Amino acid sequence: MHCTHALPAVLLLSLAFPIAARSQGIAVDEGRFAIEIAGRSVGTEDFTIRRAGIGRDDAFFANAVITQGASVDRQEITPLLRATPPSGVVAGYQVKVTGRDPLDFQMTLVGQRYVAIARSQRGDEEREFPARETTRILDRDVAHHYYFLRDAREGERIHVIEPRTRTQTTLIVERRSEDELTLDGRTTPARRLEFNVDEQVRIAWYDRLGRVLRVEIPALGYVAERTDLVG
């Protein structure tokens, strides 16, 4: 659907993301993931998650630069999420993709819905998603978004939006357990959460501070593993 009244939503989104937010506040996690697809190294994800603001302005700001591929197949993904503490429910989101499959996507909360605008080679598209108490963002190929599922309880059902595919679904927390994870030859205690998303298993491991150590989507051969917390 072509967008004929995109400007109000874009304006609202610009107000939702203060320019200084990415450099202010307290860093709750930052680092790098190495990304593999089907056992082959394809790129990296450098990210920062900060908490800034007081009272009603208290928010998480999570941003990253994700690079995949090489030369003509190279793709760079730059997401920015604003989420409400402590659980990380979505307040607004934008992502820009350059290189392969370019995209400019912006989504903001308007009343009881999220208004999304996507600009791609196929043209402009506007879409709406319901805003629910559990809504999280899990964008494709973005590992640090799993930080906002770190406290999910076994059996919990969570409304999830995947912006780059403009889809929404229900994530089910299938299993939560204590585990061990080996990073660069070093074994460390880890909390393992296993999710079911549209009959697809996704697994995330966390350290005792809630930092994401590894994300795995077996059906896609996708693995993102921390490289800055070893050695």
Side-chain angles (χ1 to χ4, degrees):
M1 179 174 67
H2 288 285
C3 174
T4 58
H5 51 92
L7 182 58
V10 173
L11 178 59
L12 283 167
L13 187 65
S14 68
L15 293 174
F17 288 85
I19 294 174
R22 281 176 272 185
S23 60
Q24 296 179 348
I26 299 170
V28 296
D29 195 11
E30 56 186 330
R32 167 174 283 196
F33 291 94
I35 304 169
E36 292 185 357
I37 302 291
R40 182 173 62 90
S41 176
V42 298
T44 58
E45 174 178 334
D46 293 286
F47 74 96
T48 301
I49 303 172
R50 294 183 179 274
R51 186 168 180 175
I54 300 173
R56 293 181 61 183
D57 294 327
D58 186 18
F60 287 115
F61 294 90
N63 64 286
V65 176
I66 301 153
T67 56
Q68 294 191 33
S71 62
V72 295
D73 193 44
R74 184 179 177 86
Q75 183 180 68
E76 184 172 282
I77 307 164
T78 53
L80 171 60
L81 167 67
R82 178 173 178 164
T84 304
S87 58
V89 172
V90 182
Y93 184 69
Q94 61 190 42
V95 61
K96 186 177 182 66
V97 181
T98 57
R100 175 169 42 88
D101 300 326
L103 173 71
D104 190 350
F105 178 96
Q106 302 189 58
M107 186 179 82
T108 191
L109 180 62
V110 181
Q112 298 300 310
R113 70 191 193 283
Y114 297 102
V115 176
I117 301 163
R119 294 185 173 90
S120 69
Q121 294 173 322
R122 293 179 295 179
D124 292 357
E125 176 187 357
E126 183 173 323
R127 186 163 298 187
E128 294 185 359
F129 302 95
R132 300 175 182 165
E133 292 182 357
T134 64
T135 303
R136 306 291 202 284
I137 290 288
L138 278 186
D139 213 347
R140 191 178 64 190
D141 301 326
V142 183
H144 75 274
H145 284 170
Y146 286 83
Y147 175 85
F148 300 103
L149 294 172
R150 66 197 184 283
D151 294 325
R153 302 181 303 275
E154 195 167 305
E156 188 174 0
R157 301 173 70 89
I158 297 171
H159 179 227
V160 166
I161 297 173
E162 188 177 87
R164 289 172 58 207
T165 59
R166 269 82 84 199
T167 58
Q168 60 181 330
T169 188
T170 298
L171 174 148
I172 303 170
V173 185
E174 295 279 9
R175 188 172 294 106
R176 181 184 173 108
S177 61
E178 298 304 315
D179 199 359
E180 289 185 338
L181 183 65
T182 301
L183 297 174
D184 194 30
R186 178 180 170 185
T187 301
T188 184
R191 180 184 306 120
R192 173 186 167 124
L193 270 71
E194 196 168 308
F195 309 106
N196 185 313
V197 183
D198 294 331
E199 303 302 320
Q200 181 189 82
V201 174
R202 304 188 186 189
I203 310 164
W205 286 262
Y206 303 82
D207 70 5
R208 60 182 180 82
L209 298 177
R211 297 178 296 186
V212 181
L213 301 176
R214 179 182 170 100
V215 174
E216 187 174 330
I217 307 177
L220 303 180
Y222 172 88
V223 175
E225 189 168 276
R226 287 291 281 268
T227 61
D228 60 297
L229 298 179
V230 297

